[in-house]
Amino acid sequence: MNKNLSLAIHGGAGTLLKDEMTTAKEKAYKETLQHALQTSYALLEGGTALDAVENAVKIMEDSPLFNAGKGSVFAANGIHQMEASIMEGKKLTSGAVALVTGVKNPIQLARNVMEKSAHVFLAGEGAMEFAREQQLPFENEAYFYEESRFQQWQKIKNTNTFKLDHDVSVNDKVGTVGAVALDCFGNLAAATSTGGMTNKKNGRIGDTALIGAGNYANNKTCAVSCTGSGEYFIRKVVAYDVSCLMEFSKMSLEEATHEVIHKRLLEIGGDGGLIAIDHHGNISMPFNTEGMYRACKSSNGEERVAIYKD
C-alpha cells in the first residue's frame, strides 16, 4: 500500500485582487475549499483517488461561489452550458461531457461516461440523454440562477464580446474547479468542471472537457487539472504537456509545471494556472495570474488553503 497520500484542489485562477475581496467573501471561499479538501482527503485513506477527486469537484459544483455546476455562468443564449472531465492514471480510462444543461453534477456524468459507456466523450443532447438513462439528478433553471452572473451577462449580451471567468472583479465571478489525487493504491486521478465563459457562443467547448488539454492523469508521471483561458490551454495541450515533459525530458513535477505555466503558456499570451501531483505525492500549484483559489493536503504534513500569491 502506498503511504504517500496527496490531494490538491482549485477553484479557478485569475485577477483575484485582495483589496476587492471582503472578509466575509474570503472566509466563504476558504471554508468551502477546506470542506472539499478535508472530506475528500479522508476518502484517500483506504479509498480511491477517483472517489476523492469526484467528491471534491462535486462539493465545489454544489456551491454558488464557483463557475461550475450551481454557480455556472450564462452563455450567449442565456443557458448554462457546462462541461467536465475525469481521468484515472492506471489504465488511462477517462470520461468527459460538454454542452450539458440541467445536470446537477457534470463531473458525476463524466464519471458515468467513463465507467458505464463504451465512449470517452459525450456532448449536448446525447450526454443529457445518457444522464437520464443513468438516473442522475437534474435541476431546473432556477437552481443555476445567480444574480451577479446574470448581471454580468446583461452587460455584454447581444455583442460579440465574451468574458473569461477571471476577467472581472472577484466580487462578480470566479472560476473553473478541479482536483487531483494520489491514493493508497498508488493510483493518480484528476477531475475538472466548469461553466465556461460568460456570453460564450452556443456550442463553444473549452479545455475542461478535453482530455490532455485541461485534465490528465497517468501513473507514470502525474495528475493535472487546469484553469484559465481555455483556448490557450487547448492550443498548448497543457495538461498532457506537463506529463510529457516529465516522461520524456525527465523533468521533475515542479520543473515541468513551471515550464508550462510560466514559459510556454505565456509565449502565446495565455493566462491561468494548474494543480498537479506526481506519482511520489509531490504537489505543484503554479499560476501566472494575480491569484488562484487552491488548497492541498498530503501525508507528509503539508496542508494549506490559499487565494493570492504567496
Side-chain angles (χ1 to χ4, degrees), residues 25-178:
K25 185 76 103 173
E26 182 172 334
K27 183 173 182 286
Y29 282 122
K30 288 186 173 180
E31 285 181 348
T32 303
L33 290 169
Q34 186 69 247
H35 174 56
L37 184 71
Q38 297 299 340
T39 60
S40 302
Y41 186 85
L43 296 176
L44 294 176
E45 299 171 334
T48 69
L50 271 172
D51 286 341
V53 297
E54 181 187 12
N55 183 74
V57 169
K58 283 178 69 177
I59 288 172
M60 290 184 283
E61 285 180 336
D62 290 343
S63 168
L65 293 172
F66 303 100
N67 178 21
K70 183 178 178 65
S72 294
V73 296
F74 290 83
N77 58 6
I79 295 175
H80 305 282
Q81 295 184 331
M82 301 170 288
E83 59 189 67
S85 66
I86 191 168
M87 185 172 185
E88 60 83 26
K90 184 177 182 179
K91 296 183 179 180
L92 307 184
T93 55
S94 54
V97 295
L99 306 178
V100 297
T101 60
V103 178
K104 183 174 186 288
N105 292 111
I107 196 63
Q108 185 179 16
L109 176 54
R111 185 165 182 182
N112 273 253
V113 171
M114 178 178 73
E115 296 181 336
K116 298 180 180 180
S117 82
H119 307 301
V120 169
F121 195 167
L122 293 179
E125 185 53 46
M128 290 181 287
E129 180 181 341
F130 182 69
R132 288 188 284 269
E133 290 174 0
Q134 298 300 311
Q135 299 183 322
L136 298 183
F138 277 72
E139 296 289 349
N140 59 30
E141 187 176 332
Y143 172 84
F144 297 96
Y145 182 90
E146 206 280 325
E147 181 63 25
S148 67
R149 290 161 177 75
F150 180 74
Q151 293 302 326
Q152 181 190 344
W153 175 55
Q154 291 299 297
K155 294 175 184 177
I156 59 174
K157 76 173 187 176
N158 299 322
T159 73
N160 288 322
T161 301
F162 62 83
K163 285 191 177 291
L164 300 170
D165 54 19
H166 51 274
D167 275 347
V168 292
S169 167
V170 69
N171 294 318
D172 293 332
K173 260 316 291 121
V174 290
T176 298
V177 305

Side-chain angles (χ1 to χ4, degrees), residues 64-302:
L65 293 172
F66 303 100
N67 178 21
K70 183 178 178 65
S72 294
V73 296
F74 290 83
N77 58 6
I79 295 175
H80 305 282
Q81 295 184 331
M82 301 170 288
E83 59 189 67
S85 66
I86 191 168
M87 185 172 185
E88 60 83 26
K90 184 177 182 179
K91 296 183 179 180
L92 307 184
T93 55
S94 54
V97 295
L99 306 178
V100 297
T101 60
V103 178
K104 183 174 186 288
N105 292 111
I107 196 63
Q108 185 179 16
L109 176 54
R111 185 165 182 182
N112 273 253
V113 171
M114 178 178 73
E115 296 181 336
K116 298 180 180 180
S117 82
H119 307 301
V120 169
F121 195 167
L122 293 179
E125 185 53 46
M128 290 181 287
E129 180 181 341
F130 182 69
R132 288 188 284 269
E133 290 174 0
Q134 298 300 311
Q135 299 183 322
L136 298 183
F138 277 72
E139 296 289 349
N140 59 30
E141 187 176 332
Y143 172 84
F144 297 96
Y145 182 90
E146 206 280 325
E147 181 63 25
S148 67
R149 290 161 177 75
F150 180 74
Q151 293 302 326
Q152 181 190 344
W153 175 55
Q154 291 299 297
K155 294 175 184 177
I156 59 174
K157 76 173 187 176
N158 299 322
T159 73
N160 288 322
T161 301
F162 62 83
K163 285 191 177 291
L164 300 170
D165 54 19
H166 51 274
D167 275 347
V168 292
S169 167
V170 69
N171 294 318
D172 293 332
K173 260 316 291 121
V174 290
T176 298
V177 305
V180 292
L182 174 67
D183 64 26
C184 62
F185 307 104
N187 293 321
L188 290 162
T192 311
S193 179
T194 190
M197 55 179 65
T198 298
N199 207 43
K200 64 184 179 183
K201 288 187 179 297
N202 186 29
R204 181 264 184 184
I205 296 172
D207 65 303
T208 294
L210 303 181
I211 302 300
N215 198 74
Y216 190 72
N218 187 330
N219 279 5
K220 291 181 180 180
T221 54
C222 61
V224 181
S225 174
C226 302
T227 173
S229 306
E231 275 66 14
Y232 294 96
F233 280 72
I234 293 170
R235 289 160 59 190
K236 280 293 188 179
V237 200
V238 166
Y240 176 71
D241 202 19
V242 173
S243 174
C244 190
L245 287 170
M246 292 179 67
E247 184 172 3
F248 299 108
S249 294
K250 305 305 178 185
M251 287 187 179
S252 67
L253 181 73
E254 191 68 28
E255 290 170 337
T257 55
H258 186 279
E259 168 72 20
V260 170
I261 293 299
H262 294 294
K263 294 182 181 180
R264 298 188 177 197
L265 195 60
L266 288 176
E267 286 173 354
I268 61 169
D271 62 338
L274 61 79
I275 54 173
I277 289 175
D278 69 15
H279 57 289
H280 298 298
N282 296 310
I283 299 170
S284 183
M285 301 189 291
F287 52 95
N288 59 32
T289 53
E290 290 299 317
M292 180 170 74
Y293 297 102
R294 63 201 186 277
C296 66
K297 184 175 182 176
S298 68
S299 52
N300 67 9
E302 180 180 8

